[in-house]
Amino acid sequence: MTANTHITVLLEEATKALLVKKDHWYIDATFGKGGHTQKILNAGGKVIAFDIDKAAISSGKEIFASSIVPGNLILIRENFAQIFPVIQSLKEDRQINEIDGVLFDFGTSTEQLKSEDRGFSFDGDSPLDMRMDDRLGVQAKDLLALIPADQLEELFRDLGGETDARKIARAIKSSPVPITTTKQLSNLILKISGKQKGKLHPATKVFQALRIAVNTELENIMMGLPQALEILAQKGRIVTIAFHEGEDREVKTTFKLWEAENKGENLTKKPVVPTAEEIKNNPRSRSAKMRIFEKNTSDQQKNEIE
Ligand SMILES: C[S@@+](CC[C@H](N)C(=O)[O-])C[C@H]1O[C@@H](n2cnc3c(N)ncnc32)[C@H](O)[C@@H]1O
């Protein structure tokens, strides 16, 4: 395994939280390299896996052929913001029945971050693209060109926590040449923020903020979570793994609200985090927070739905 290969985070913890039962259906909303999917299959479950990334789906189709052919895995190139219609149509086609769990492992895979030509990384020099789904119309370089300085500043601060947000936004907008490559952007940031002092490269936060904005990651979570709850069977569970404060806040607020509305139980008042050993073996896991919600619609709500 190399530093450019995705290592699945909270693998044991997430699979255990799903309470996988033999021949029951589970959704892996963020397939990636299929680490969680494989574990659910090993535990006897069946999986419908979503990913918006063409490369993740095509390599998954090859690697997982032995699960796809007998019908234990359905692999779909689709946004998890579309879970409800996709699952409805699979149910209408009688390909699946009840769904007992949905897993979200938000963000990007190591393959995406380390790819040399997709613009996620400040290490190399490639066009500032950053789309996980290449069917999207707007790339990171377009955001830099189209968004006014004050909104860019807000974006860098809110989605990246960047303290030099104003200076960086202004420098981008007053640059004599458009900023269209990863190298141009990381050099511009290095000029403003100075050389790397701590563990984080000075461009980390701006790159993260742009990636979240290009892929409308928070909006997708806001759309995907309620649809996941809707398609779950009674006692089914939603398990989320978030790496970014904004993502985790969205999950936490949603679970709290659902509990107040008697839609089920928030099983993690405090998030589950990786062990010291996991962090040592995979430093990328250090910011992961896992939360679990169990659906339990009250009798009164069932009557209202029916
Ligand atoms: C952190 S990786 C998942 C890794 C996976 N759990 C594993 O063990 O290999 C996140 C994956 O989710 C995908 N993704 C991100 N947002 C998505 C969305 N809205 N809908 C579907 N897939 C998404 C990305 O393309 C990426 O492959």
Side-chain angles (χ1 to χ4, degrees):
M1 199 166 291
T2 71
N4 291 349
T5 304
H6 190 82
I7 304 174
T8 301
V9 173
L10 291 167
L11 178 60
E12 299 294 335
E13 293 86 341
T15 321
K16 202 168 151 210
L18 285 171
L19 303 175
V20 179
K21 293 186 276 299
K22 189 162 170 27
D23 290 337
H24 284 232
W25 283 100
Y26 299 85
I27 295 176
D28 181 350
T30 47
F31 176 75
K33 285 282 282 183
H36 287 112
T37 286
Q38 183 67 67
K39 191 85 179 163
I40 300 170
L41 291 167
N42 291 349
K46 297 185 169 204
V47 181
I48 303 142
F50 289 67
D51 206 296
I52 35 172
D53 190 322
K54 192 168 61 183
I57 295 293
S58 58
S59 82
K61 283 197 169 152
E62 277 181 30
I63 296 166
F64 283 81
S66 62
S67 299
I68 295 172
V69 174
N72 294 330
L73 170 64
I74 301 173
L75 197 50
I76 301 171
R77 186 180 181 203
E78 187 51 271
N79 195 311
F80 62 62
Q82 297 297 325
I83 280 190
F84 187 81
V86 171
I87 295 303
Q88 279 300 93
S89 96
L90 288 174
K91 279 187 175 172
E92 279 160 23
D93 292 347
R94 296 185 186 280
Q95 291 194 54
I96 60 165
N97 40 38
E98 299 267 83
I99 304 290
D100 282 322
V102 184
L103 172 71
F104 294 91
D105 179 13
F106 299 123
T108 41
S109 66
T110 308
E111 277 72 9
Q112 290 167 328
L113 286 176
K114 297 287 176 188
S115 67
E116 279 172 10
D117 55 354
R118 298 183 64 178
F120 291 106
S121 168
F122 38 76
D123 285 339
D125 189 15
S126 80
L128 264 174
D129 183 332
M130 295 200 189
R131 291 167 304 162
M132 292 193 250
D133 183 346
D134 65 5
R135 299 166 296 192
L136 291 175
V138 177
Q139 304 183 21
K141 65 180 164 60
D142 304 321
L143 286 186
L144 297 185
L146 296 170
I147 297 183
D150 53 343
Q151 285 176 31
L152 262 189
E153 176 189 338
E154 224 174 271
L155 192 154
F156 296 157
R157 191 172 303 119
D158 293 352
L159 298 180
E162 174 57 61
T163 43
D164 286 327
R166 173 170 294 184
K167 282 191 207 155
I168 296 170
R170 288 185 177 175
I172 290 169
K173 296 312 276 190
S174 58
S175 165
V177 288
I179 304 295
T180 59
T181 70
T182 55
K183 193 154 217 125
Q184 278 177 307
L185 182 59
S186 91
N187 283 345
L188 178 144
I189 296 168
L190 282 170
K191 259 192 208 156
I192 292 167
S193 308
K195 288 214 173 76
Q196 182 163 353
K197 290 169 205 119
K199 275 188 184 163
L200 279 191
H201 185 284
T204 307
K205 293 175 174 177
V206 166
F207 272 67
Q208 172 183 272
L210 278 172
R211 190 207 83 211
I212 292 174
V214 166
N215 296 289
T216 60
E217 292 180 38
L218 296 180
E219 292 82 351
N220 289 337
I221 295 176
M222 283 180 216
M223 287 175 74
L225 285 177
Q227 294 182 44
L229 184 71
E230 185 83 24
I231 49 108
L232 263 190
Q234 283 300 316
K235 292 281 177 189
R237 288 182 169 189
I238 296 178
V239 178
T240 62
I241 302 171
F243 296 83
H244 176 259
E245 221 181 288
E247 293 167 347
D248 186 57
R249 201 178 313 119
E250 187 53 39
V251 174
K252 191 172 141 188
T253 316
T254 305
F255 285 4
K256 242 185 173 171
L257 178 74
W258 286 351
E259 198 171 54
E261 293 172 347
N262 290 323
K263 289 178 173 164
E265 195 181 346
N266 176 10
L267 300 180
T268 38
K269 302 292 181 254
K270 282 206 172 133
V272 176
V273 294
T275 58
E277 197 191 346
E278 177 168 3
I279 296 172
K280 193 169 148 237
N281 293 335
N282 180 17
R284 186 188 161 266
S285 70
R286 66 187 174 275
S287 50
K289 287 186 178 159
M290 184 178 98
R291 296 187 185 270
I292 312 164
F293 190 87
E294 186 171 279
K295 177 168 170 172
N296 193 6
T297 316
S298 67
D299 288 342
Q300 185 197 339
Q301 276 181 321
K302 269 190 242 163
N303 290 339
E304 282 168 15
I305 294 165
E306 282 157 10

